[in-house]
């Protein structure tokens, strides 16, 4: 099943069901006005939404309309929880190596995770606004899951059973602000502005054999200014899988339905597949030549993030954004 949230002038938008080919959609306000409402009562709403989804794919819904990704908010325009991991540890190792820092052994068996701002996500086709390019504006292409209610101390098996939906993520980062924040020993805040998510959120079955219950074995396609920047496979070199990440997030507290848990920047040891963020490419350049040559994003730069199934069909629609100067 594929779900999206249309802009309607409200803070949380309007839930719609989208056809598998992303061409048609239908409103479902009689079942749940918003995605959060649907998640809060998933046992009852999921079968009803699934029935509509089947009918939509069979062209049996009379009041369907053309689906427009540009009219979408992030599936959850705001969420109770946004916890982003760093499951691709080789990416972390690379970044630390470039600055001459040794990576602690614990990073290989204890996931890194930070709590991001979740009160106002950016729409998948909305501009990325920044006051200055001196902030070191970067994109980070990731996958994320939306959970149901997860009990505190849930093990990975229990966590897996509560994965409701998948989305793509652009975890926008302001690289020049990160060092000073981390030096305080209290984590990210200003260096992690609002993230954006794909137009569509999908249930795990939509991934078919690409989802093995732990990882998604498909490449993440990233284009910067209409040129291929990277296509690393999300199922390769993922040190911590999604059930493990969700279990880690719930170690000392429960997760409420609608919690979002991210994978962190997708990264492969085989560098021929490119990268999912500018920082990684810059680190490779430093290691190779002693100097970073690729600049961070400038005003007017465009980033497109998308994932296709094995038949070449877009699964989530595309995050397609431009960096613009913020005006007060």
């Amino acid at each position: 099943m594929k779900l999206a949230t249309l802009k309607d002038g409200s803070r949380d938008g309007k839930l719609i069901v989208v056809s598998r080919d992303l061409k048609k959609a239908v409103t479902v306000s009689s079942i749940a006005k918003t995605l959060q409402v649907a998640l809060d009562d998933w046992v009852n709403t999921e079968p009803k939404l699934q029935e509509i989804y089947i009918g939509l794919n069979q062209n049996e819904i009379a009041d369907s309309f053309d689906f427009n990704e540009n009219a979408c908010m992030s599936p959850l325009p705001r969420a109770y929880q946004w916890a982003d991991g760093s499951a691709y540890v080789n990416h972390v190792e690379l970044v630390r190596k470039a600055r001459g820092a040794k990576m602690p052994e614990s990073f290989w068996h204890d996931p890194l995770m930070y709590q991001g701002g979740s009160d106002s996500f950016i729409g998948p086709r909305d501009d990325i606004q920044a006051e200055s390019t001196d902030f070191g504006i970067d994109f980070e292409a990731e996958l994320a899951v939306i959970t149901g209610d997860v009990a505190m101390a849930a093990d990975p098996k229990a966590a897996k059973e509560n994965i409701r939906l998948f989305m793509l993520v652009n975890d926008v980062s302001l690289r020049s602000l990160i060092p000073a924040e981390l030096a305080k020993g209290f984590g990210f805040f200003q260096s992690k502005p609002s993230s954006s998510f794909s137009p569509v959120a999908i249930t795990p079955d939509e991934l078919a054999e690409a989802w093995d219950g732990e990882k998604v074995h498909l490449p993440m396609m990233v284009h910067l200014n209409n040129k291929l920047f990277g296509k690393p496979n999300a199922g390769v070199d993922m040190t911590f899988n999604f059930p493990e990440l969700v279990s880690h997030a719930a170690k000392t507290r429960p997760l409420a339905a609608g919690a979002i848990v991210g994978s962190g920047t997708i990264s492969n040891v085989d560098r021929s597949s490119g990268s999912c963020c500018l920082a990684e490419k810059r680190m490779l350049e430093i290691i190779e030549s002693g100097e970073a040559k690729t600049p961070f994003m400038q005003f007017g730069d465009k980033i497109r993030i998308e994932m296709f199934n094995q038949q070449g069909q877009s699964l989530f629609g595309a995050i397609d954004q431009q960096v613009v100067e913020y005006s007060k």
Side-chain angles (χ1 to χ4, degrees):
M1 181 166 58
K2 300 193 175 188
L3 303 171
T5 296
L6 282 186
K7 297 176 180 178
D8 67 351
S10 70
R11 192 184 294 270
D12 296 307
K14 178 168 57 178
L15 179 65
I16 58 173
V17 173
V18 181
S19 62
R20 181 169 286 114
D21 60 9
L22 305 181
K23 292 183 178 179
K24 292 291 183 178
V26 61
T27 57
V28 287
S29 297
S30 61
I31 299 172
K33 178 172 172 51
T34 68
L35 179 54
Q36 183 61 56
V37 170
L39 290 163
D40 284 339
D41 190 25
W42 193 249
V43 171
N44 292 312
T45 60
E46 190 274 337
K48 297 175 184 178
L49 294 171
Q50 183 68 33
E51 183 178 356
I52 289 176
Y53 181 63
I54 293 171
L56 188 62
N57 288 321
Q58 295 175 348
N59 295 315
E60 296 174 350
I61 305 296
D63 56 349
S64 66
F65 54 88
D66 292 340
F67 178 56
N68 180 8
E69 295 182 24
N70 293 323
C72 289
M73 307 172 81
S74 284
L76 283 173
R78 54 178 174 167
Y80 293 119
Q81 178 81 262
W82 162 225
D84 198 16
S86 192
Y88 299 85
V89 178
N90 64 280
H91 168 76
V92 180
E93 186 175 41
L94 175 66
V95 172
R96 293 178 69 89
K97 181 179 178 180
R99 66 172 187 260
K102 187 177 180 180
M103 192 178 75
E105 178 62 27
S106 63
F107 283 20
W108 290 102
H109 53 80
D110 188 24
L112 292 171
M113 187 170 285
Y114 80 92
Q115 189 170 31
S118 60
D119 52 338
S120 59
F121 295 130
I122 310 171
R125 300 299 179 89
D126 293 343
D127 292 333
I128 299 168
Q129 300 183 62
E131 282 192 290
S132 172
T133 56
D134 291 340
F135 290 167
I137 307 163
D138 199 358
F139 56 86
E140 292 191 64
E142 310 179 11
L143 274 167
V145 296
I146 301 176
T147 75
D149 290 308
V150 181
M152 186 175 76
D155 62 18
K157 182 179 179 181
K160 175 186 170 182
E161 294 174 355
N162 284 289
I163 292 175
R164 299 286 184 252
L165 298 162
F166 281 87
M167 301 184 291
L168 305 183
V169 190
N170 180 12
D171 179 38
V172 181
S173 295
L174 303 179
R175 299 293 185 182
S176 298
L177 303 185
I178 289 177
E181 283 203 312
L182 294 186
K184 296 177 181 179
F186 224 53
F188 302 118
F189 196 84
Q190 293 173 341
S191 55
K192 290 289 187 177
S194 297
S195 298
S196 57
F197 296 83
S198 50
V200 172
I202 69 176
T203 48
D205 59 291
E206 291 294 325
L207 292 163
E209 65 273 14
W211 168 241
D212 64 5
E214 295 182 346
K215 304 174 184 179
V216 177
H217 297 269
L218 289 170
M220 180 72 82
M221 307 300 295
V222 180
H223 287 80
L224 177 62
N225 294 326
N226 301 315
K227 293 182 179 180
L228 181 64
F229 187 83
K231 54 176 181 179
N233 193 301
V236 176
D237 303 316
M238 188 182 194
T239 307
F240 304 103
N241 61 47
F242 280 107
E244 289 171 336
L245 290 173
V246 173
S247 175
H248 180 79
K251 182 176 181 178
T252 62
R253 56 182 168 178
L255 303 180
I260 305 172
V261 179
S263 67
T265 307
I266 295 170
S267 177
N268 292 169
V269 173
D270 179 2
R271 304 302 177 188
S272 65
S273 60
S275 300
C276 278
C277 71
L278 290 165
E280 181 172 288
K281 184 173 178 61
R282 286 168 58 89
M283 292 307 105
L284 288 167
E285 292 169 346
I286 290 172
I287 291 169
E288 181 179 351
S289 66
E291 179 184 5
K293 300 175 182 178
T294 300
F296 287 117
M297 297 185 81
Q298 305 298 306
F299 296 138
D301 282 350
K302 297 179 179 181
I303 181 66
R304 185 179 178 94
I305 299 169
E306 196 165 11
M307 181 172 278
F308 299 87
N309 64 15
Q310 294 173 337
Q311 290 72 46
Q313 298 172 316
S314 181
L315 284 164
F316 303 87
I319 297 173
D320 199 341
Q321 300 176 295
Q322 183 173 21
V323 176
V324 302
E325 185 174 9
Y326 174 71
S327 57
K328 298 179 180 179

